[in-house]
Amino acid sequence: MARLKTGVLISGSGTNLQALLDHAADPDFPAEIVAVISNRPRAPGLKRAAAARVAARVIDHTEFSDREGFDAALNAALIEAGCEFLCLAGFMRVLSRRFVEAWRNRLVNIHPSLLPSFRGLNAQAQAIAAGVRIAGCTVHFVRAETDSGPIIVQGAVPVLDGDNAQTLAERILAVEHQIYPMALRMIAEGRVRVEGDRVRILGSDSSPDRALIAPCDGGRP
Ligand code: GRF
């Protein structure tokens, strides 16, 4: 079966890119990473792409006078690389409505909160400030409004009393690395259906009696 030709957009360290590259290294994984593009020339994630022998490119947003011009260059590069699908992985640029619509339902993002809570920057610090007991991460289809769009997969972690934004971010990041490849696999297998604002996963095995509860009280009710 043909593998889904996937591009990944990054701006920074690229640990989620690494998780996607690691899974895609398995020839049985139904998606392959065919292009990595960074808007920042010094993004450490570029080295991860090179190490995995994936074509990496910089399209520096500071070289464009407006967002439309940058997005058009990005779009052209992705099409040239043969991308059929796109993952944002720590990509710190807002994409224009035109770009988002051109890639509608072929463009996903990962965000370090249980959306729709805590959109925008510093989601983990927002979670700490709000005092939530359960935090997490979300893979979702991208819509023009930042950090919105049909939710595909979420992963939850407890927030501990001693946590700060950094310790919580690390706990969430470990789960991001699990759910992003999982979401891409399900999409590439054709099991993800967008129905209005919601997503239906064909053949998923979520068990209705499994819950994540935090804090835990040693199993006592
Ligand atoms: C992740 O926390 C992701 O959820 C957010 O940006 C961060 C990127 O980290 N969108 P990395 O570059 O994948 O390590």
Side-chain angles (χ1 to χ4, degrees):
M1 203 183 82
R3 304 169 79 199
L4 184 66
K5 292 184 170 45
T6 303
V8 184
L9 302 187
I10 62 168
S11 301
S13 72
T15 64
N16 278 290
L17 165 66
Q18 188 69 57
L20 296 172
L21 289 169
D22 289 348
H23 281 75
D26 177 352
D28 289 334
F29 191 78
E32 61 178 320
I33 310 301
V34 296
V36 172
I37 298 179
S38 171
N39 66 309
R40 293 202 180 127
R42 289 141 82 100
L46 288 165
K47 291 202 178 73
R48 299 178 187 274
R53 299 182 191 285
V54 169
R57 259 188 83 165
V58 173
I59 301 179
D60 186 344
H61 65 277
T62 64
E63 291 173 3
F64 294 82
S65 56
D66 59 13
R67 193 178 300 282
E68 301 293 329
F70 171 73
D71 285 6
L74 197 56
N75 193 52
L78 292 164
I79 288 169
E80 191 189 312
C83 294
E84 303 166 315
F85 193 84
L86 211 46
C87 293
L88 307 182
F91 183 67
M92 300 302 286
R93 298 286 302 167
V94 172
L95 293 162
S96 61
R97 181 174 293 274
R98 185 185 183 136
F99 184 97
V100 169
E101 284 307 317
W103 289 88
R104 189 180 177 85
N105 296 345
R106 299 186 300 141
L107 170 60
V108 295
N109 179 45
I110 188 157
H111 182 75
S113 78
L114 294 173
L115 290 173
S117 291
F118 313 133
R119 292 178 165 138
L121 295 175
N122 304 319
Q124 305 94 335
Q126 292 184 53
I128 296 276
V132 296
R133 290 292 190 184
I134 296 177
C137 43
T138 303
V139 180
H140 63 97
F141 286 105
V142 173
R143 296 292 182 258
E145 194 191 336
T146 307
D147 298 326
S148 72
I151 290 169
I152 306 161
V153 185
Q154 294 187 304
V157 301
V159 182
L160 307 181
D161 286 342
D163 270 336
N164 54 41
Q166 180 62 31
T167 58
L168 179 59
E170 284 165 15
R171 192 172 308 119
I172 292 172
L173 197 58
V175 180
E176 293 185 38
H177 299 159
Q178 297 175 49
I179 68 167
Y180 216 174
M182 182 193 300
L184 182 58
R185 178 173 52 74
M186 294 192 302
I187 290 162
E189 288 171 347
R191 294 167 51 207
V192 175
R193 294 265 183 284
V194 181
E195 298 179 345
D197 292 336
R198 302 185 57 177
V199 162
R200 189 155 64 91
I201 309 283
L202 309 178
S204 68
D205 60 356
S206 299
S207 168
D209 56 3
R210 265 178 43 202
L212 174 63
I213 297 170
C216 227
D217 198 21
R220 286 185 294 277

